[in-house]
């Protein structure tokens, strides 16, 4: 009851927003006559005046109506298009920080120009994140004449650009790019050695196109920068020798093929690691400092116990090659990550490849939450409204279509996969005979290739230069999101009479399918309309209902006729994996519509819930990592951009000396004079006379710390006098940044290992994140202590020894 009332209240609020936006849109359209008489220079002058107002702290809300009206006029002149009321309403929703759900073909690219222009007036930069390089370059090229007319600059970020080109693109008012490139640039900037080397200039406003793909489907995908770890063959071979000597009683494996050491196994492995010098006698694999070593032990155990030769991998030409679990085919060039492939190579006696380490990483979830203002647009958002709100603080607003939707949607559930394929073939052949274009949706590349093989077996031929002009040959095209520009061209022609196109989920996304084809005349378009418009055929339902809607949305754009029909079977993977109870059925007949609808929705709901829970859990883990990342990046920026490096180094030096006193000369324990002397010599490069404490050892320890600090300070003062303060500070700055980069890379790896190890402990769900937080904090404190010690040790060794 409470949930129903909450939904009703939310729905009422959204309806209220829409009503308000419709009123505002009418006022914006009413301003059109006043801008018709402006010259091109007059348009630019008016935009420049609005920019000056924003610089004087005028709120964007106060100028949005005039700004949108100016963009409409510029669009009419530069593009021969004017944003319609639905697009204005969408832009108003984006400005208010919402996810605007706009159906396929409603003109999201043009809608974006309204809100991008408004936020560009802040001169803080606007980032438009799109799914691929092709769309980034295409959208920027399409909209640049409009922005030029308004006096705004436009940039594009692509994968192959160097830092100078990126920096120039980010200086523009509006920058288009792939979402991952924005994230990678953020990571790289936080590893630069000077402010002048960075490319981004802040995170003021981001507009995410195809928001469901970036903020939901790929939300947890880590964007990671990698660096070589060097040759560690001896290490992997030593671990392998230890694991190879274990007996079955030393480990246990569960039904999900997860392997873990028993208590006897831990004792045996620790003893053998200590014998080989890989583990200190005073530590165990359970200690927080041993997390990376334990990770490689478990990876080697997986290599020996879980992965089988000639099933999961093959050994050929002196190397280990992964075998595809579905097809049974070798996959040359593919390698397991996290040291598992190196463990297999050690097991099989092959040459061990170089391991890489993560230098820095971040997820889309975490990166896009950094922006001061965030908005997104997509054709399907309602199903994920709760996730957008909980994770990003964004509400979903469905924008009414410019013209009424007349597409017909259907679903059929077959008893068998074979029966489903026969029905799909009949559907495609009937449509092609009528001249109706067909778009066949496949959930994976493998499935798209299987469908292509089925068509070929029934007399169809792949479309190419030899077949495309031969009307006697039935042809089809296959798109599977590998070459975006080529795909976009083919998908744009997928509306031609009788065209048959097989596409995976992301293929051609962002490109409209126009009835008759992209450059069709009215007669061709009318022929396709008479045949029923575009027919979208789904070959199975997706795990998430939103993806079904994306595929259906290819047909019926802007009031066009069209039809979508999903064929699924009780043998389909999405139903089997959902473990939904399926009633007995006649193996030759389709399942009743009411039963089919209930089964499909129940299966999708289960998959959606699982996916959301995984992303939410990931966010909770990543929030802990992000707090450490923010601390490290803030410290690094203070070092990079600050002017008091020598004072910071002094503070770190004194804290390091306090650490040594706490460890070797604490009041509550007997002093370890030899240990303290050795630590002072190795860290500080000093020889200090240390006498045993009197009865008041607390005062003695404090006095000793002050004396060591004074000696170390004089040592550094002599270096500064010899080298000059500027040179010494610059060397220190670079040493500090190199040290923190190295330590954060190691810390990131340890945190990844820790998350996996905690997952293996089989703790109650409510304890997992808390356990991770406690142990992650201990690792972080250790990293900061290592940073203090390393910086101090480096500083004490820099330069010429003073007299």
């Amino acid at each position: 009851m409470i949930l129903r009332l909450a939904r009703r209240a939310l729905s009422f609020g959204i309806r209220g927003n829409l009503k308000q936006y419709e009123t505002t849109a009418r006022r914006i359209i009413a301003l059109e006559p006043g801008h018709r008489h402006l010259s091109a220079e007059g348009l630019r002058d008016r935009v420049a005046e609005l920019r000056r107002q924003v610089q004087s702290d005028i709120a964007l809300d106060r100028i949005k109506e005039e700004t949108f009206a100016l963009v409409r006029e510029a669009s009419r002149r530069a593009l021969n298009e004017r944003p319609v009321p639905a697009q204005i309403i969408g832009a108003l929703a984006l400005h208010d920080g919402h996810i605007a759900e706009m159906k396929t073909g409603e003109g999201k690219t043009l809608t974006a120009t309204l809100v991008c222009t408004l936020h560009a007036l802040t001169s803080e930069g606007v980032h438009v994140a799109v799914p691929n390089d092709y769309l980034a370059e295409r959208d920027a090229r399409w909209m640049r004449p409009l922005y030029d007319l308004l006096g705004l600059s436009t940039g594009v970020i692509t994968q192959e650009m160097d830092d100078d080109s990126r920096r120039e693109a980010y200086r523009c008012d509006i920058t288009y790019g792939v979402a991952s490139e924005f994230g990678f640039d953020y990571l790289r900037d936080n590893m630069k050695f000077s402010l002048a080397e960075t490319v981004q200039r802040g995170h003021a406003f981001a507009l995410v196109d195809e928001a469901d793909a970036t903020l939901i489907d790929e939300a947890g995908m880590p964007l990671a920068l990698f660096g070589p770890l060097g040759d560690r063959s001896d290490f992997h071979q030593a671990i392998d020798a230890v694991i190879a000597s274990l007996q079955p009683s030393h480990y246990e494996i569960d039904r999900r093929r997860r392997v873990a050491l028993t208590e006897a196994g831990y004792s045996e492995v620790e003893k053998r690691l200590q014998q080989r010098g890989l583990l200190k006698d005073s530590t165990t694999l359970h200690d927080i400092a041993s997390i990376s070593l334990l990770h490689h032990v478990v990876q080697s155990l997986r290599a020996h116990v879980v992965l089988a030769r000639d099933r999961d991998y093959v050994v050929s030409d002196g190397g280990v090659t992964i075998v595809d679990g579905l097809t049974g085919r070798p996959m040359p060039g593919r390698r397991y990550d996290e040291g598992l492939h190196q463990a297999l190579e050690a097991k099989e006696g092959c040459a061990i490849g170089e391991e890489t380490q993560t230098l820095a990483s971040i997820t889309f979830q975490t990166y896009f939450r950094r922006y001061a203002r965030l908005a997104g647009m997509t054709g399907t958002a309602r199903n994920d409204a709760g996730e957008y709100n909980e994770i990003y603080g964004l509400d979903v607003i469905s924008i009414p279509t410019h013209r009424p939707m007349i597409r017909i949607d259907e679903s059929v559930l077959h008893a068998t996969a074979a029966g489903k394929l026969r029905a799909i073939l009949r559907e495609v052949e009937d449509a092609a005979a009528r001249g109706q274009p067909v778009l066949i949706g496949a959930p994976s590349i493998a499935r798209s290739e299987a469908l292509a093989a089925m068509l070929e077996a029934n007399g169809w031929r792949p479309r190419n230069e030899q077949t495309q002009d031969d009307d006697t040959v039935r042809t089809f095209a296959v798109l599977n999101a590998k070459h975006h520009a080529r795909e976009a061209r083919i998908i744009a022609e997928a509306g031609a009479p009788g065209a048959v196109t097989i596409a995976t989920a992301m293929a051609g996304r962002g490109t409209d399918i126009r009835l008759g084809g992209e450059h069709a005349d009215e007669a061709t378009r009318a022929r396709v309309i008479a045949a029923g418009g575009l027919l979208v055929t789904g070959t199975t339902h997706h795990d998430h209902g939103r993806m079904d809607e994306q595929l259906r949305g290819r047909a019926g754009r802007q009031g066009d006729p069209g039809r979508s029909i999903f064929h699924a079977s009780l043998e389909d993977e999405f139903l089997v994996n959902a473990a939904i109870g399926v009633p007995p059925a006649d193996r030759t007949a389709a399942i009743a519509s009411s039963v089919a609808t209930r089964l499909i929705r129940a299966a999708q709901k289960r998959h959606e819930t699982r996916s959301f829970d995984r992303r939410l859990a990931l966010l909770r883990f990543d929030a802990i990592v992000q707090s450490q990342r923010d601390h490290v990046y803030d410290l690094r920026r203070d070092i990079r951009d600050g002017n008091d490096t020598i004072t910071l180094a002094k503070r770190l030096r004194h804290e390091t000396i306090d650490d040594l006193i706490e460890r070797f000369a604490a009041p509550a324990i007997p002093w370890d004079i030899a240990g303290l002397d050795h630590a002072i010599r190795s860290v500080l490069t000093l020889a200090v006379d240390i006498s045993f404490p009197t009865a008041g050892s607390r005062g003695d320890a404090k006095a000793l710390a002050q004396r060591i600090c004074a000696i170390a300070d004089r040592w550094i003062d002599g270096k500064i006098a010899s080298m000059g303060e500027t040179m010494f500070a610059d060397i220190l700055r670079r040493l500090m940044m190199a040290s923190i980069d190295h330590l954060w890379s190691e810390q990131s790896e340890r945190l990844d290992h820790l998350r996996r190890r905690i997952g293996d402990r089989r703790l109650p769900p409510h304890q997992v994140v808390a356990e991770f937080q406690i142990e992650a904090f201990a690792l972080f404190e250790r990293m900061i202590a290592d940073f203090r010690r390393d910086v101090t040790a480096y500083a004490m060794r820099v330069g010429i020894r003073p007299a």
Side-chain angles (χ1 to χ4, degrees), residues 305-564:
V305 177
V306 177
L307 300 182
R309 182 170 177 168
D310 297 329
R311 184 191 69 191
D312 301 296
Y313 66 92
V314 294
V315 177
S316 60
D317 299 326
V320 172
T321 303
I322 299 173
V323 171
D324 189 311
L326 294 176
T327 66
R329 296 173 182 169
M331 297 189 291
R334 292 279 301 276
R335 292 178 65 83
Y336 291 113
D337 58 4
E338 301 292 339
L340 180 57
H341 211 92
Q342 285 78 10
L344 282 173
E345 289 167 333
K347 169 189 171 183
E348 299 295 346
C350 301
I352 297 177
E354 188 175 42
E355 205 175 341
T356 59
Q357 63 179 345
T358 303
L359 302 178
S361 68
I362 197 168
T363 62
F364 280 136
Q365 278 179 335
T366 301
Y367 174 71
F368 280 106
R369 280 152 50 100
R370 298 193 59 79
Y371 283 86
R373 299 192 74 168
L374 177 66
M377 51 189 188
T378 181
T380 48
R382 284 171 297 175
N383 289 354
D384 300 299
E387 185 166 351
Y388 283 120
N389 186 271
E390 184 163 354
I391 292 181
Y392 303 101
L394 303 173
D395 290 327
V396 171
I397 293 189
S398 296
I399 309 302
T401 56
H402 179 49
R403 295 188 179 94
M405 175 72 69
I406 61 173
R407 184 184 69 230
I408 300 169
D409 295 329
E410 302 171 63
S411 294
V412 180
L413 182 59
H414 302 268
T416 65
K420 176 185 73 172
L421 291 175
R422 286 194 297 269
I424 290 171
L425 182 61
R426 285 195 304 270
E427 194 99 51
V428 171
E429 291 185 332
D430 290 348
R434 294 193 305 271
Q436 183 177 22
V438 182
L439 178 70
I440 307 174
S444 65
I445 292 175
R447 194 70 61 83
S448 70
E449 291 172 349
L451 288 166
M454 180 187 75
L455 289 179
E456 285 197 72
N458 284 274
W460 293 72
R461 294 289 176 267
R463 191 182 312 152
N464 53 42
E465 291 181 1
Q466 287 75 35
T467 62
Q468 64 183 3
D469 296 325
D470 188 347
D471 293 336
T472 64
V473 178
R474 298 183 300 175
T475 64
F476 65 92
V478 179
L479 299 178
N480 47 34
K482 289 182 180 176
H483 307 288
H484 299 299
R486 173 180 168 272
E487 288 158 11
R489 286 195 298 271
I490 295 177
I491 207 78
E493 293 300 323
V500 174
T501 309
I502 302 172
T504 52
M506 285 302 295
R509 188 168 180 178
T511 305
D512 289 341
I513 299 176
R514 300 177 185 273
L515 297 188
E518 188 171 30
H519 305 294
D521 55 27
E522 282 304 314
T524 305
R525 176 176 163 79
R527 179 184 166 195
V528 171
I529 289 175
L534 179 67
L535 170 63
V536 170
T537 301
T539 56
T540 185
H541 287 279
H542 296 85
D543 289 352
H544 298 73
R546 163 174 44 82
M547 300 183 75
D548 286 355
E549 290 301 312
Q550 288 170 5
L551 184 56
R552 291 190 192 274
R554 291 296 199 161
R557 61 180 294 278
Q558 293 190 355
D560 284 342
R563 176 170 166 252
S564 74

Side-chain angles (χ1 to χ4, degrees), residues 130 162 168 177 222 245 269 287 309 329 332 337 375 389 404 413 536 548 626 628 658 704 762:
V130 299
D162 60 22
E168 193 63 32
S245 67
V269 170
D287 291 346
R309 182 170 177 168
R329 296 173 182 169
D337 58 4
N389 186 271
L413 182 59
V536 170
D548 286 355
Q626 182 61 24
Q628 297 190 13
D658 289 341
L704 178 59
R762 302 171 191 174

Side-chain angles (χ1 to χ4, degrees), residues 730-777:
D730 187 58
I731 292 172
L732 273 185
R733 181 178 294 109
R734 290 186 172 271
L735 281 173
M736 287 181 182
M737 286 190 286
S739 174
I740 204 164
D741 286 347
H742 172 71
L743 290 170
W744 177 242
S745 172
E746 291 185 337
Q747 175 72 353
S748 297
E749 184 180 36
R750 281 193 293 265
L751 291 173
D752 281 343
H753 297 167
L754 176 63
R755 183 158 55 193
R756 289 181 175 84
R757 296 286 73 79
I758 285 181
D760 290 341
R761 292 177 194 172
R762 302 171 191 174
L763 296 167
H766 66 279
Q767 291 183 12
V768 172
V769 175
E771 189 90 0
F772 178 77
Q773 185 170 21
I774 292 168
E775 297 191 27
F777 182 71

Side-chain angles (χ1 to χ4, degrees), residues 163-179:
D163 277 2
D164 289 338
S165 302
R166 289 173 183 270
R167 197 173 296 113
E168 193 63 32
Y170 280 117
R171 286 198 188 109
C172 294
D173 295 307
I174 298 142
T175 306
Y176 289 82
V178 183

